[in-house]
Amino acid sequence: MGTYPKQQTHILKMNNSPSRIIRPATTADIPDIMPVFDEARQKMQASGNWKQWINGYPSVEVVQNDIQQQGGFVIEDDGKIVGYFAFLPSPEPTYKEIFDGQWLDDTLPYHVIHRMGGKHGTHGIFSSVMEFAFSRDHNIRIDTHRDNVIMQHNLRKHGFSYCGIIYLLSGDERLAYQEVKG
């Protein structure tokens, strides 16, 4: 996977929240990132999604890899980390084959969003991530577990189209979405 030019790793002040910023994650942020995953996992489980983010995933090593690729980002409100996501350039190996459908555009480079989560009581995480992502690329792909109805709702709400099924390296099925603007 590629890396980001320096101009893409600056702090982005979010329009939808005056105290919210998105900035590149650092390894020093990891102790504040892991509780974000714990709370997001609890929210998924409370909505019936017991099969995603299990067995220690996402792990410290996964976050370290995101950071090393310059694709790990934290969301801060008033200087406190309230969210995390990975924003990585194509190609995503598990997106090479799609079943029971097709990508909206399979010719242009894209970015993928993985491991998006927010702390309890924090609102607008998805919208902030979308504002950030589409300020950097017009072609975004995301996948999610079939039981993650909250993510599916947010994807539809923000204009993403369901494209088909992809399979992770583990063989687990995921629903694939894409939005291409412009």
Side-chain angles (χ1 to χ4, degrees), residues 126 144 146 148-162 175 177 179:
F126 193 95
T144 193
R146 185 175 296 277
N148 195 338
V149 294
I150 295 170
M151 179 62 79
Q152 291 172 53
H153 168 78
N154 276 311
L155 288 164
R156 287 188 303 273
K157 179 180 168 183
H158 285 82
F160 280 79
S161 297
Y162 172 74
L175 306 180
Y177 292 81
E179 184 175 358

Side-chain angles (χ1 to χ4, degrees), residues 8-114:
Q8 287 191 317
T9 60
H10 69 279
I11 293 173
L12 177 67
K13 186 98 170 136
M14 301 310 298
N15 292 332
N16 61 356
S17 176
S19 65
R20 179 164 291 171
I21 64 167
I22 293 179
R23 65 168 176 80
T26 68
T27 54
D29 295 322
I30 291 175
D32 294 319
I33 293 169
M34 299 315 287
V36 169
F37 293 144
D38 293 338
E39 291 188 32
R41 188 178 298 107
Q42 291 169 6
K43 187 173 185 178
M44 284 191 282
Q45 290 173 352
S47 70
N49 182 4
W50 287 89
K51 297 176 184 170
Q52 190 176 5
W53 287 16
I54 57 172
N55 301 323
Y57 181 87
S59 66
V60 168
E61 294 78 20
V62 167
V63 175
Q64 287 171 331
N65 188 51
D66 291 343
I67 293 169
Q68 182 181 17
Q69 294 183 66
Q70 298 179 355
F73 292 87
V74 293
I75 303 162
E76 291 184 349
D77 281 349
D78 297 319
K80 294 182 181 173
I81 293 175
V82 297
Y84 176 85
F85 65 99
F87 183 69
L88 301 165
S90 58
E92 164 61 47
T94 61
Y95 289 1
K96 186 174 182 172
E97 282 191 82
I98 189 165
F99 300 89
D100 299 328
Q102 64 184 28
W103 295 110
L104 298 177
D105 181 303
D106 204 19
T107 61
L108 297 173
Y110 58 88
H111 273 80
V112 61
I113 297 171
H114 286 309

